[in-house]
Amino acid sequence: MAEGTGDPRQALLSVVVTNTALALLIVLGFWAGVFVARRLGRTPDYSLAPLGFAPPRGGTLRGLGLGVATGVGALLMSLVVNPVTVLVLERLGYPTRSTVQQPFMRGLEGWVREDPATAIPAIVGVVVLFGPAVEELVFRGALFNGLHRLTRFVFRRAVRKPPGEGSGRAAFFLAAGVSSVLFALLHLEPVLLPALLIFAFALCWLFERTGSLLPVFAAHATFNSFATTLIILSGLEILRVPV
């Protein structure tokens, strides 16, 4: 989700507060739905497994490896897609200067330069660990997963039989499309939108394949760790990152 552009400490605190509230809202909403369903005579339990809090299919190590590989692949993809996006936007006459992410990164670099002992663990904790964990719960565990289940149910009722391979793919692409577009748009950066859209689709595929939030979190954390490393190295004046 988009970060603020003011004091980096306040921006990170805002991310933590907002994401904590979102995570609690989703979990409490899920439990409220289970409570209502049980009152109506159904028998779901309060396990968070339907939201992705479950071991990956195929094993934890395999799921983590697939997640890291997806994150690395998405990073390599972005190194190609982002410059192409900049070129296309420039040809069309649209501005390409970052107005959200880049100022935020510069603020974090300044904080690292001033107080590395506090800034580095805080940035890693929020940008690499906490932020991706909550975003995956929101966009893959709740939004994509919920839309996918709903569209499969609608298709099944529409044809009055279990959905076949074609309708199953349609349900996936519809749910992945909606959740991925929202994920990309909420980062508020036109230059990053195509790469984020592709990355989000890959995360939906990974969640659908493994049935767990753990691999998609590993992918997202791996993806974010590259920018975080650049921020820290630039703040420590070990590496000069061009504006």
Side-chain angles (χ1 to χ4, degrees):
M1 298 174 195
E3 294 87 359
T5 59
D7 183 349
R9 289 169 283 265
Q10 292 298 322
L12 288 185
L13 179 60
S14 175
V15 169
V16 170
V17 172
T18 302
N19 285 5
T20 299
L22 279 171
L24 287 174
L25 183 64
I26 287 172
V27 171
L28 292 176
F30 174 79
W31 281 337
V34 172
F35 174 79
V36 171
R38 291 172 72 92
R39 296 284 290 181
L40 294 174
R42 300 182 180 273
T43 58
D45 59 39
Y46 287 94
S47 167
L48 296 177
L51 290 177
F53 288 87
R57 289 192 290 268
T60 299
L61 288 179
R62 184 174 181 274
L64 285 173
L66 188 58
V68 171
T70 301
V72 171
L75 177 60
L76 295 175
M77 171 275 301
S78 70
L79 296 178
V80 176
V81 172
N82 287 344
V84 173
T85 304
V86 170
L87 179 61
V88 171
L89 290 177
E90 287 178 344
R91 291 290 181 88
L92 294 175
Y94 291 101
T96 58
R97 185 173 181 83
S98 172
T99 58
V100 177
Q101 302 292 336
Q102 198 76 310
F104 178 67
M105 291 175 64
R106 295 303 177 221
L108 293 180
E109 288 173 10
W111 188 22
V112 170
R113 195 171 298 114
E114 295 169 5
D115 186 10
T118 302
I120 292 174
I123 293 168
V124 171
V126 175
V127 179
V128 177
L129 301 176
F130 184 70
V134 175
E135 289 190 15
E136 291 315 311
L137 171 61
V138 172
F139 287 100
R140 257 59 66 178
L143 185 57
F144 163 72
N145 194 20
L147 286 173
H148 196 195
R149 290 168 182 260
L150 177 61
T151 51
R152 283 186 298 180
F153 172 77
V154 170
F155 285 147
R156 184 168 63 248
R157 293 296 296 269
V159 299
R160 298 190 177 277
K161 62 180 180 179
E165 183 179 351
S167 60
R169 284 198 300 265
F172 170 81
F173 279 107
L174 179 59
V178 172
S179 61
S180 297
V181 167
L182 289 175
F183 175 81
L185 289 176
L186 286 176
H187 283 79
L188 303 177
E189 289 287 5
V191 171
L192 301 179
L193 196 149
L196 289 175
L197 189 59
I198 296 170
F199 181 43
F201 257 94
L203 292 175
C204 291
W205 167 83
L206 184 60
F207 181 84
E208 176 66 12
R209 176 168 178 172
T210 64
S212 172
L213 286 173
L214 185 60
V216 292
F217 162 72
H220 201 151
T222 299
F223 187 79
N224 281 14
S225 65
F226 177 74
T228 303
T229 301
L230 292 181
I231 289 169
I232 293 171
L233 292 178
S234 180
L236 295 174
E237 299 184 341
I238 295 174
L239 176 69
R240 176 68 63 180
V241 180
V243 179

